Amino acid sequence: MKVGIITLGCDKNTVDSERYLAQLSDYSAEYTSDLADAEVIIVNTCGFIDAAKKESIDAMVEAARFKTDGRCQAVVAVGCMIERHKQELIDVLPEVDLFLGSSEMQRLVPELTERGLLGEADEELHPGVRLYTGDLPHVRYMKISEGCDHGCAFCAIPLMRGKHRSFALDEVVHEAQLLELQGAREINLVAQDLAHYGRDRRDGNNLPELLDALVAETSIPWIRMLYLYSAGITDRLLEVVAQENRVLPYLDMPIQHGSDVVLARMRRPERKRTIRERVAKFRDAVPDVAIRTTCIVGFPGETEEQFDELLEFLEEIQFERVGAFTYSPQEGTRAAQYADDVHEAVKRERLERLTELQRSITGERYESRVGRTAPAIVDRTNTENGTSQARLPWQADDIDGVTQIDLALPPGTIAEVAVEEVVDDYDFQASVIRVAVPTGIPEPRRVSRELPISQVTIGSYGR
């Protein structure tokens, strides 16, 4: 059986999709990137905001067309949106054959087997093994926990993913070792809140201890952290980031707003004063740190004055990058009970103003890095003109722009470069000084933990 997959939403969904494909491949399934050739198409949905829900529905409808225009025998919709809206979707999308929420993924193999679409299991898998389908095998994402205990008024993630559950440190290290053997040169740690890692297990292993273990027991040169609440970024964590050059000086720290009134209505734990103090603390502890944040505009009750307060706060703090989106009410959340009283046209106008302001701030912040030397990881090579597309430590994959360098190097190479100029506010131009880490799958290193072989189900790894 050939299986295709459409992954929507966040990088945590990317990790899930890789696990689903690995599990199916153990039952004689073969991945194909050509949906017209797929006998089963899986749509891994996102239900975070209305735009993501619409994209998910469109993807399900498009996948179903391959039942007449291709070889598709079954369309399977999985993930967050299904967890929240399964019955509604069953009623309106009869062309989808199977709906499985995030908490039901242990049923995927049995359901497809019952339909005669899977063969017998032919081998056992390492826990956490994943089937990569992208075009940057040296850049991988690794989920270290599932769910969320925060009570933000606008967010339905706890309703879709449940309470916070940290994966065991040994399991995470094992998975990182497997990714390294597959050629990973950069791993991006992802979770709903990385800073909560380990608190529920109470075994003394929190995020700093996990980073120490990853540094000690892998040779992966770049380890990046994505999405941490500022309240959980401890002195010990900052010490690890400051002292260990393989843990990148990069923090993705969502603030969501810059008005205390709006932050209180959002049920966020931070206020302007605490955000200001923590950013100053981070920059003092890690002088080279790049801080990215996220903001919501048009939250219920947001006045023009409160939005202006957000803009003023962004000008004051000077984050390197800001991701922003307009508010949309999500059923079951506290904010859904509020009147959605900011007109959509006003939301869009505010989003444009914020984006334009941040573009200039990013350009200024990036200009301050010109003239310096820094490591860069090569993502793509242009052999025709002898250049490469790379990223600096301050640029996360797919969201923070790129760096063009003047030498054609294989993807996965890490080079020391001289940063020469900022291009279009978001990108850099740099020249290669020397190759620091050549490409190629690294030799396995001696580790203190063995990699056990055991049969696991899709639902057993963190769900």
Side-chain angles (χ1 to χ4, degrees):
M1 178 195 78
K2 291 188 176 182
V3 57
I5 192 160
I6 301 170
T7 302
L8 304 169
C10 65
D11 297 317
K12 294 176 282 293
N13 265 10
T14 298
V15 174
D16 290 340
S17 291
E18 292 178 2
R19 289 184 181 146
Y20 304 155
L21 287 172
Q23 183 81 4
L24 294 176
S25 70
D26 198 36
Y27 290 81
S28 303
E30 177 187 345
Y31 169 73
T32 177
S33 60
D34 183 358
L35 295 182
D37 198 36
E39 295 159 85
V40 172
I41 299 176
I42 299 172
V43 182
N44 192 355
T45 63
C46 177
F48 185 55
I49 58 176
D50 285 352
K53 291 179 181 179
K54 181 181 184 305
E55 185 180 24
S56 295
I57 291 173
D58 290 345
M60 287 183 265
V61 171
E62 182 64 25
R65 290 178 183 158
F66 288 99
K67 294 166 77 171
T68 55
D69 298 342
R71 300 177 58 199
C72 184
Q73 299 177 43
V75 173
V76 183
V78 305
C80 291
M81 186 179 180
I82 311 307
E83 187 74 19
R84 294 292 320 284
H85 304 288
K86 181 175 179 177
Q87 192 54 55
E88 303 163 52
L89 293 167
I90 289 174
D91 293 339
V92 300
L93 291 174
E95 58 266 60
V96 176
D97 301 275
L98 178 62
F99 293 90
L100 296 174
S102 303
S103 62
E104 302 176 297
M105 291 310 297
Q106 72 278 0
R107 289 176 45 203
L108 180 61
V109 168
E111 291 279 359
L112 293 179
T113 300
E114 185 178 325
R115 288 166 168 78
L117 294 168
L118 287 179
E120 295 295 324
D122 54 13
E123 67 179 63
E124 295 182 335
L125 297 177
H126 291 291
V129 72
R130 288 145 53 183
L131 179 61
Y132 182 69
T133 61
D135 61 351
L136 298 179
H138 59 282
V139 182
R140 302 298 296 271
Y141 292 83
M142 191 168 69
K143 187 158 56 170
I144 67 172
S145 66
E146 184 60 278
C148 183
D149 290 341
H150 295 294
C152 302
F154 53 84
C155 184
I157 286 174
L159 301 174
M160 296 184 283
R161 293 286 185 170
K163 291 289 187 179
H164 172 87
R165 293 97 67 201
S166 301
F167 302 160
L169 184 143
D170 280 359
E171 290 181 349
V172 177
V173 172
H174 291 160
E175 183 169 3
Q177 291 168 348
L178 290 167
L179 295 177
E180 180 177 6
L181 291 174
Q182 294 171 12
R185 293 302 182 92
E186 175 184 356
I187 57 169
N188 295 272
L189 305 184
V190 295
Q192 306 304 335
D193 180 7
L194 290 177
H196 253 174
Y197 177 78
R199 295 182 184 180
D200 53 318
R201 302 188 68 88
R202 302 182 186 278
D203 59 4
N205 292 319
N206 296 316
L207 185 56
E209 288 72 32
L210 174 59
L211 292 171
D212 284 340
L214 291 172
V215 168
E217 303 203 38
T218 77
S219 300
I220 297 170
W222 278 24
I223 301 171
R224 187 186 302 274
M225 296 181 290
L226 297 178
Y227 209 83
L228 301 89
Y229 279 62
S230 66
I233 304 177
T234 63
D235 291 346
R236 172 78 178 97
L237 178 61
L238 291 174
E239 179 183 323
V240 173
V241 178
Q243 294 181 359
E244 179 48 63
N245 60 13
R246 287 166 54 201
V247 179
L248 298 179
Y250 181 97
L251 293 176
D252 184 357
M253 184 192 79
I255 64 168
Q256 307 303 3
H257 214 277
S259 161
D260 284 350
V261 173
V262 178
L263 287 168
R265 197 180 305 127
M266 288 179 166
R267 295 174 61 86
R268 295 288 294 178
E270 301 94 349
R271 295 296 181 268
K272 286 173 65 174
R273 178 184 59 80
T274 56
I275 295 169
R276 182 184 292 114
E277 291 173 350
R278 285 167 183 158
V279 169
K281 182 179 181 179
F282 304 157
R283 287 175 171 161
D284 182 61
V286 188
D288 200 34
V289 69
I291 305 179
R292 178 185 179 87
T293 196
T294 307
C295 296
I296 299 172
V297 301
F299 191 75
E302 182 190 62
T303 64
E304 190 67 27
E305 291 74 18
Q306 290 163 354
F307 174 70
D308 287 339
E309 194 174 354
L310 168 60
L311 297 184
E312 291 168 3
F313 194 58
L314 293 178
E315 284 194 279
E316 174 193 346
I317 299 299
Q318 298 276 299
F319 292 104
E320 270 72 15
R321 297 296 295 258
V322 174
F325 57 93
T326 59
Y327 170 79
S328 60
Q330 302 304 307
E331 181 183 351
T333 63
R334 182 179 293 267
Q337 303 171 29
Y338 306 159
D340 188 12
D341 55 0
V342 181
H343 194 278
E344 289 300 320
V346 174
K347 292 179 184 179
R348 292 193 297 272
E349 186 267 341
R350 289 177 180 174
L351 179 63
E352 290 174 3
R353 287 168 59 192
L354 187 154
T355 302
E356 188 58 31
L357 170 65
Q358 185 57 42
R359 185 181 187 91
S360 64
I361 294 172
T362 296
E364 291 177 8
R365 295 291 297 179
Y366 279 8
E367 286 287 352
S368 69
R369 299 182 185 270
V370 171
R372 300 171 53 185
T373 61
I377 189 166
V378 175
D379 288 335
R380 296 175 176 85
T381 305
N382 188 331
T383 54
E384 291 184 1
N385 62 13
T387 64
S388 300
Q389 179 180 296
R391 285 176 294 109
L392 301 171
W394 324 302
Q395 297 174 299
D397 173 44
D398 199 41
I399 56 174
D400 290 331
V402 299
T403 296
Q404 300 294 335
I405 61 176
D406 62 347
L407 191 63
L409 296 172
T413 302
I414 296 176
E416 183 181 354
V417 302
V419 182
E420 296 173 335
E421 64 176 315
V422 177
V423 180
D424 295 331
D425 296 324
Y426 287 153
D427 299 329
F428 289 100
Q429 181 72 41
S431 58
V432 175
I433 299 172
R434 68 182 182 90
V435 173
V437 182
T439 190
I441 297 177
E443 291 294 323
R445 60 180 289 156
R446 185 183 300 276
V447 297
S448 63
R449 296 181 176 89
E450 295 182 355
L451 298 177
I453 305 289
S454 64
Q455 184 66 32
V456 293
T457 65
I458 291 174
S460 69
Y461 200 84
R463 268 167 286 281

